[in-house]
Amino acid sequence: MTSGSSAHDVILVWQDGQEGSDEREERLSVGEDEIVLTAAECAGVALPFGCRTGACATCTGKLLDGRIEHARPPRALKERHREAGYVLLCIAEPRSDCRIVVGSSVQAELVSNPWQ
């Protein structure tokens, strides 16, 4: 966290079990001008990522509560995805306490599997 900025509680939620049966959470303290992915890495919480520039969507999460701003335009998300609450954690900065669903279930919602 950068000194002088306020921190927010960011709760990451994994719901990858059947109907959320395997749900687990991790709580992070993330500075307002800090990237969620970076804060997770510093806390030892593993999240998937690819480009770190908002171009590939590997780090997509879905915002349940709170407010996130992207540090740069989230090129991997269409406007309808942003309106539905999807965020890119590699460029996401919290503006309030947040609760974000992460994991493969979020990826499956956003991108259909071409092999099915």
Side-chain angles (χ1 to χ4, degrees):
M1 178 173 67
T2 304
S3 73
S5 67
S6 60
H8 300 288
D9 287 334
V10 174
I11 300 172
L12 302 174
V13 182
W14 284 260
Q15 298 177 329
D16 292 335
Q18 291 289 326
E19 299 179 18
S21 62
D22 292 335
E23 184 173 304
R24 70 179 177 95
E25 295 182 353
E26 293 280 350
R27 183 181 299 262
L28 306 171
S29 178
V30 184
E32 204 164 277
D33 54 358
E34 185 176 24
I35 301 296
V36 173
L37 176 63
T38 304
E41 289 175 326
C42 290
V45 176
L47 292 173
F49 66 91
C51 68
R52 291 186 180 268
T53 64
C56 75
T58 302
C59 63
T60 301
K62 189 169 185 182
L63 189 65
L64 297 177
D65 294 308
R67 194 164 69 87
I68 290 282
E69 288 185 10
H70 290 108
R72 62 176 63 191
R75 293 179 292 156
L77 296 178
K78 296 180 177 175
E79 182 63 31
R80 64 184 161 93
H81 296 140
R82 292 193 299 270
E83 290 172 0
Y86 292 100
V87 295
L88 300 178
L89 300 176
C90 73
I91 58 171
E93 297 175 341
R95 295 298 181 250
S96 69
D97 292 348
C98 297
R99 187 172 166 88
I100 305 168
V101 177
V102 297
S104 60
S105 62
V106 177
Q107 281 287 325
E109 290 173 13
L110 191 64
V111 180
S112 62
N113 183 343
W115 306 108
Q116 291 180 337

